[in-house]
């Protein structure tokens, strides 16, 4: 049995955190493939090494002196090495980095050094072999992740290995240059490694005890979710819930490998299991609530719209022509509403409005801004009567005016549109009615 363990930046921010990680790995001999992030913040006011590296590269790119910035980065690593009493010097590595930055190395190269160096330290600390991710993770000419090539090369390389440390976040382009995933991308590396070694589980260690039912900035100390399906997670992540990088689901999902979100600072907590499907009922009817502010609704009215074939297509064509993707399209008999991201839409609104007039010839178009969308997600909703009723009576009691309702045919989620200013109140009301009263 093999487990792939990925540790986030806060789990590796200091020697003390490294020690916790070391004991977690030693506690289970199946934890054999380790994917580290770069050192994160040691406290609230601290800086992430990745951000320091981006800043360093920016100075170098402008031909300015980046020596002080690079030394500050170096001291973060030296502090960890000293704290762990390792016999390791990063002299040569830092010399190479300095030379490359002077020669004009790009952002991705600079940022990737955060996980690369942390990987070297981790390998030395655990006495595991180190594998440079540039040798086993590949991107194509267009900069897209090359899943096939990566899987082939990585599986062959790791097959015979008992253990390895593979730094997260980056791989290489066909010309050998370094390319990173988007921010938080070490989660993706962990998932790719888990797929390649056919891991029994992909453990993703972070600083919270799992995926929380609601945003802790809105709900103080929300309950953590025990088990969530990939689909539910996708809905919640799309609506802004963060813990895991959105793209980290895809590689393991193909193999049906579960992801277990765990807390490095509280390793005995079970954390959250992210699985393909489960017969485990969620503790509450809903699995989670997430949402985002900053949407606009474009309300289009036309008498007898219901009998006009192709009306919807023409309206959506107007958005497509301006390169705007839509979020939801609830419709009535003579009305159709298109929800879009306000920041994407704002600059192009008049272009879109005139295109709708030209293509679909509506009677009126009315735009409303500053709306928020809230997704109430749960596989349990399918088999429970009255979920929508409970949501809306809770919102009514909280004096929240509901602007839009959309329930997908999967019955996995109910999307509710409210005014931006009602967003937090609405989330609290929904959390209270499903979770708080049951605790
Ligand atoms: N260190 C990178 C970041 O800060 C990648 C990661 O931590 O996953 O985004």
């Amino acid at each position: 049995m093999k487990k792939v363990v990925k540790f986030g930046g806060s789990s590796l921010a200091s020697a003390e955190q490294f020690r916790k990680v070391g004991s977690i790995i030693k506690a289970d001999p199946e934890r054999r493939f380790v994917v580290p992030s770069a050192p994160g913040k040691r406290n609230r006011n601290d800086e992430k090494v990745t951000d320091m590296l981006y800043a360093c590269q920016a100075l170098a790119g402008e031909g300015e002196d980046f020596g002080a910035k690079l030394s500050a980065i170096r001291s973060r690593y030296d502090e960890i090495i000293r704290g762990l009493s390792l016999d390791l010097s990063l002299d040569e590595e830092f010399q190479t980095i300095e030379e490359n930055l002077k020669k004009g190395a790009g952002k991705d190269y600079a940022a990737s050094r955060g996980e690369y160096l942390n990987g070297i330290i981790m390998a030395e600390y655990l006495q595991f072999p180190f594998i440079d991710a540039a040798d086993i993770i590949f991107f194509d000419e267009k900069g897209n992740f090359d899943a096939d090539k990566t899987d082939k090369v990585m599986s062959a390389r790791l097959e015979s290995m008992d253990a390895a440390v593979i730094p997260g976040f980056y791989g290489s382009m066909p010309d050998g240059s370094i390319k990173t995933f988007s921010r938080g991308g070490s989660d993706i590396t962990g998932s790719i490694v888990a797929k390649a070694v056919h891991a029994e589980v992909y453990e993703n260690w972070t600083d919270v005890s799992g995926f929380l039912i609601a945003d802790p900035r809105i709900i103080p100390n929300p309950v953590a979710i025990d088990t969530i399906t990939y689909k539910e997670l996708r809905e919640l992540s799309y609506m802004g819930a963060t813990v895991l990088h959105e793209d980290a689901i895809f590689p393991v999902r193909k193999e049906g490998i579960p992801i277990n979100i765990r807390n490095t600072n509280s390793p005995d907590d079970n954390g959250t299991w992210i699985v393909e499907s489960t017969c485990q009922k969620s503790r509450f009817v809903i699995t989670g609530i997430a949402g985002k502010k900053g949407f606009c609704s474009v309300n289009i009215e036309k008498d007898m719209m219901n009998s006009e074939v192709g009306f919807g297509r023409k309206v959506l064509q107007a958005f497509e022509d301006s390169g705007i993707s839509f979020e939801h399209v609830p419709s009535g008999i003579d009305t159709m509403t298109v929800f879009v991201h306000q920041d994407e839409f704002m600059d192009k609104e008049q272009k879109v409005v005139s295109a709708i007039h030209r293509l679909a010839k509506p009677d009126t178009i009315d735009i409303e801004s500053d709306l928020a969308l809230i997704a109430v997600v749960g596989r349990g909703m399918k088999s429970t009567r009255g979920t929508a009723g409970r949501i809306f009576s809770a919102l009514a009691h909280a004096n929240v005016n509901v602007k839009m309702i959309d329930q997908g045919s999967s019955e996995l989620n109910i999307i509710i549109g409210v005014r931006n200013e009602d967003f937090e109140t609405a989330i609290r009301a929904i959390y209270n009615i499903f979770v708080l009263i049951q605790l």
Side-chain angles (χ1 to χ4, degrees), residues 12 21 37 53 71 79 91 93 135 165 173 183 188 239 256 259 265 294 315 408 412 432:
L12 299 168
V21 166
S37 281
L53 285 159
S71 316
E79 196 184 299
D91 281 348
E93 298 294 348
D135 299 337
V165 173
M173 293 288 286
R183 294 298 304 263
I188 309 175
M239 287 304 264
I259 306 173
N265 304 319
V315 168
L412 190 66
N432 290 353

Side-chain angles (χ1 to χ4, degrees), residues 6 8-9 37-38 48 50-51 54 111 115 168-169 182-187:
K6 179 258 165 180
S37 281
K48 282 175 149 204
T50 308
D51 292 323
Y54 279 125
E115 343 308 271
F169 194 34
S182 55
R183 294 298 304 263
S186 299
D187 285 341

Side-chain angles (χ1 to χ4, degrees), residues 144-186:
N144 296 320
F145 170 57
D146 188 339
D148 291 340
K149 182 175 174 194
T150 299
D151 200 44
K152 223 159 99 216
V153 175
M154 192 188 279
S155 317
R157 179 83 186 265
L158 298 183
E159 199 180 6
S160 56
M161 302 195 67
D162 286 335
V165 173
I166 303 142
F169 194 34
Y170 70 93
S172 59
M173 293 288 286
D175 66 0
S177 61
I178 297 289
K179 162 113 186 104
T180 63
F181 293 108
S182 55
R183 294 298 304 263
S186 299

